[in-house]
Amino acid sequence: MARTRTDRGHDVGHNPWMVTTQTEVPQSLGVGYGVEVQILDRTGLGLAGQVRAALPPELIASGSSATAVVTYAVSVVDETAPEYVVTVDGLDVYATNVPEALVDWLARDIDTAVARGCADMTFVHGGVVGWRGLAIVIPGREARAISHLVAELVRRGAIYYSDRFAVLDRQGRIHPYRVPLEIDGIRQRDLRLIQNDVIAEPLPLGMVLACGGPPADVWRPSVRSGRRSALPLVDAMVGPRDDTRLANVVAVVEPTLVTLQGPWPDPVGAAAHLLDLVDEAHVSYAVHALTEEAGGITDHLARAARTRLHSEPARPTTPFRRLIATPYVQLSDFLPSADRDQLLEHALRWEAEFAESGVVGMTGKNNVDHDARKSRTLPPGRFEEVWDLFEGPLRGVLAYARKELGIDWFPLGKLERQLTAHGPGGFFVPHVDTGHPVAATRRISCVYYFHPTPRRYHGGELRLYDTWDTPTGTTGAASWTTVTPEDNSLVLFPSTAFHEVRPVHTESDAFADSRFAVTMWFHEGERPEPASSDGLTP
């Protein structure tokens, strides 16, 4: 049975069962938000690995510098009936005879230690999701209710940031603290948007959902913006409130914050309303962007909230939407090494012939538009000189790709291709490869990556956006899968999928430092005429 020693004042030095040797060295679990966490495990339970699995990736990442260190020592009392005792700074602070409870307590106390020890960030109890480039924060200590609402928002496509802390920097942006999401003690495994393989970018704080009291039959929270809208964040701050830090947080976030305050809503209905009203705000902002009524996104968000949540009668809940992850295939070592080297040599030799890449405009012609795309493309004739390296291997994987991508058989038409180089600042905004009638027959998109070794750029990831499947059709979602451009690898995905090339950052302006890629498209050809009943084609 677990028990907690609440006095936190027992001097371990007077305990005969606590033994410390000069050779003991604590193991670092990682550095996050300027706080290094160490553990000295005298139990033989392998606590470091177990605790690490319960911590957010932001905390167990390596390479950060620490301005504070917290060290936990865990020892065993009486091997015949073991009791595990945790010591921090010479004081025993927790004891239990249940190993699972020990791991859970350590993980949660580490969370608190990081929140209190961080010098540059403000930690607020609560949950966070990202949607359309804004952070939605649910502050408070009602862990179960917050987790339910966060989970429902994530199931509808929002990006998971935390169900424990909202972490604010001095500019008022929200950073992730992605502890494994649990509901009623059960870790959630169906929330595919909890992505630990990519860095969740800091987001501006857009909305706070301040809830309290029993649920109401109809959810009509008050809508606040500007003055006093940040009070729910203040009330949920972790640890002692430093007046200077508190004033800075309030001053930074209040001008662009919308707060919804009311009773706890039903998670399913509220999640739909919250995401939809953010969508409405973005549409309204875009429509009025060039008018005198433009204002900021906060003005449109507050207006959308009042309209949606206080209209008579109450709007019905948005129909259920199904989020579909874009399928893709990634093949390593696609070309023989000699062929890959020949391709790279060819690209470097003809550097001077690479021209600015275009995008297909309304007229169906390629136009250079650096607001949408920045890269350089080798002229088709010059690329044809090495095309024979690709055609055989590419056609060889077509049947496999169709099966893995779930694309029905189609008669093969032309195989379109181009070789591009993304230099410093290169990118391609979200788009589909079938967005104009001249490209409507594209079915499978393929990207082959290659670069000198070692790679001298970072960024340039392929971001494959998910898709909403609704009763009225499909549309792109605000969540995605990230594919790293590995040397000599081929990635295939449906041409109808929204995707983008993330910005490229090179070590120098040298052409050889670019992100090189061969992009290819399998087109659908004309389908054969069906045979007549007598076996003859009409």
Side-chain angles (χ1 to χ4, degrees):
M1 181 175 182
R3 63 188 179 87
T4 304
R5 297 185 176 176
T6 57
D7 60 346
R8 292 184 77 99
H10 188 69
D11 188 345
V12 176
H14 292 95
N15 291 330
W17 39 262
M18 187 69 69
V19 179
T20 303
T21 69
Q22 296 298 321
T23 59
E24 290 181 315
V25 177
Q27 182 176 352
S28 177
L29 298 182
V31 179
Y33 295 118
V35 180
E36 180 177 7
V37 178
Q38 300 178 345
I39 188 168
L40 182 58
D41 181 10
R42 303 185 180 110
T43 68
L45 296 174
L47 291 176
Q50 297 183 61
V51 174
R52 209 181 258 120
L55 297 176
E58 291 75 27
L59 183 54
I60 61 176
S62 59
S64 303
S65 59
T67 57
V69 178
V70 57
T71 301
Y72 294 82
V74 188
S75 302
V76 181
V77 185
D78 188 357
E79 297 288 350
T80 58
E83 181 181 50
Y84 308 103
V85 178
V86 182
T87 303
V88 180
D89 296 331
L91 302 176
D92 67 327
V93 295
Y94 180 76
T96 181
N97 53 15
V98 180
E100 293 78 8
L102 176 62
V103 172
D104 182 68
W105 184 90
L106 282 168
R108 291 188 174 275
D109 200 73
I110 288 170
D111 288 337
T112 303
V114 171
R116 290 174 178 268
C118 179
D120 297 325
M121 303 284 192
T122 299
F123 280 67
V124 173
H125 291 286
V128 185
V129 299
W131 181 247
R132 305 295 193 204
L134 296 176
I136 301 174
V137 176
I138 309 142
R141 294 171 174 81
E142 298 288 338
R144 184 176 183 276
I146 289 173
S147 294
H148 273 284
L149 187 49
V150 167
E152 190 58 40
L153 286 163
V154 172
R155 290 191 182 100
R156 289 181 171 268
I159 307 298
Y160 178 67
Y161 268 60
S162 183
D163 81 330
R164 191 158 302 165
F165 294 130
V167 184
L168 291 88
D169 63 21
R170 299 189 181 197
Q171 289 74 46
R173 299 176 303 171
I174 303 292
H175 293 249
Y177 197 87
R178 293 169 293 176
V179 292
L181 197 153
E182 295 184 358
I183 297 178
D184 299 329
I186 301 174
R187 182 174 295 188
Q188 302 301 290
R189 301 187 182 278
D190 59 337
L191 301 178
R192 65 164 299 275
L193 299 179
I194 302 177
Q195 298 176 348
N196 293 342
D197 59 332
V198 296
I199 298 174
E201 299 173 354
L203 294 177
L205 177 55
M207 184 189 305
V208 165
L209 186 62
C211 304
D217 293 336
V218 179
W219 189 54
R220 297 188 186 281
S222 61
V223 181
R224 296 181 180 178
S225 57
R227 181 174 169 79
R228 301 178 68 83
S229 60
L231 286 181
L233 297 174
V234 174
D235 291 340
M237 285 178 60
V238 177
R241 298 174 185 172
D242 177 89
D243 290 340
T244 302
R245 184 184 298 188
L246 178 60
N248 177 71
V249 169
V250 172
V252 168
V253 303
E254 273 193 346
T256 58
L257 179 62
V258 173
T259 296
L260 308 181
Q261 191 152 15
W264 280 103
D266 169 65
V268 175
H273 284 313
L274 290 171
L275 300 186
D276 283 351
L277 70 86
V278 174
D279 289 348
E280 288 182 16
H282 278 293
V283 171
S284 175
Y285 180 70
V287 169
H288 295 90
L290 301 179
T291 71
E292 295 180 355
E293 302 176 2
I297 189 65
T298 302
D299 302 315
H300 297 271
L301 189 55
R303 188 180 304 120
R306 293 187 179 99
T307 301
R308 170 170 284 272
L309 299 174
H310 291 265
S311 59
E312 295 288 351
R315 296 190 182 190
T317 299
T318 301
F320 179 75
R321 300 179 289 183
R322 183 166 63 103
L323 190 66
I324 303 173
T326 295
Y328 72 95
V329 174
Q330 186 168 27
L331 304 174
S332 301
D333 300 322
F334 182 68
L335 293 180
S337 297
D339 291 353
R340 174 260 183 204
D341 294 344
Q342 180 183 343
L343 178 66
L344 178 60
E345 181 185 351
H346 187 80
L348 297 178
R349 181 192 310 147
W350 299 109
E351 172 186 355
E353 295 198 17
F354 279 77
E356 295 288 344
S357 304
V359 294
V360 179
M362 297 299 294
T363 62
K365 297 181 179 179
N366 273 324
N367 302 306
V368 174
D369 181 359
H370 283 171
D371 289 332
R373 184 185 188 188
K374 184 181 178 183
S375 62
R376 295 166 62 191
T377 302
L378 188 65
R382 189 64 72 188
F383 179 50
E384 289 303 307
E385 296 173 8
V386 290
W387 171 243
D388 62 324
L389 300 176
F390 283 95
E391 186 155 15
L394 199 62
R395 291 181 184 273
V397 302
L398 178 58
Y400 170 74
R402 280 197 188 112
K403 178 182 177 182
E404 293 298 312
L405 300 177
I407 296 177
D408 293 336
W409 178 89
F410 58 87
L412 187 59
K414 65 178 179 179
L415 220 172
E416 187 182 358
R417 57 266 195 178
Q418 63 179 221
L419 194 161
T420 59
H422 287 79
F427 71 99
F428 200 161
V429 297
H431 63 285
V432 295
D433 288 341
T434 56
H436 191 277
V438 299
T441 58
R442 289 172 175 171
R443 288 294 173 264
I444 299 177
S445 299
C446 320
V447 188
Y448 172 80
Y449 300 106
F450 64 106
H451 56 74
T453 303
R455 181 170 65 180
R456 294 189 288 272
Y457 73 87
H458 66 275
E461 299 88 355
L462 173 65
R463 183 175 281 184
L464 297 172
Y465 285 86
D466 301 336
T467 300
W468 282 120
D469 183 13
T470 73
T472 57
T474 60
T475 185
S479 55
W480 60 80
T481 300
T482 299
V483 182
T484 302
E486 301 291 350
D487 182 38
N488 198 16
S489 69
L490 179 75
V491 177
L492 306 97
F493 57 93
S495 298
T496 53
F498 273 94
H499 59 284
E500 72 170 307
V501 177
R502 299 294 294 160
V504 174
H505 308 281
T506 59
E507 294 183 3
S508 75
D509 292 334
F511 182 68
D513 289 359
S514 299
R515 169 195 183 272
F516 294 102
V518 176
T519 307
M520 299 155 283
W521 298 271
F522 285 108
H523 283 252
E524 180 176 348
E526 293 186 4
R527 291 186 176 270
E529 293 289 341
S532 62
S533 57
D534 59 3
L536 300 177
T537 301

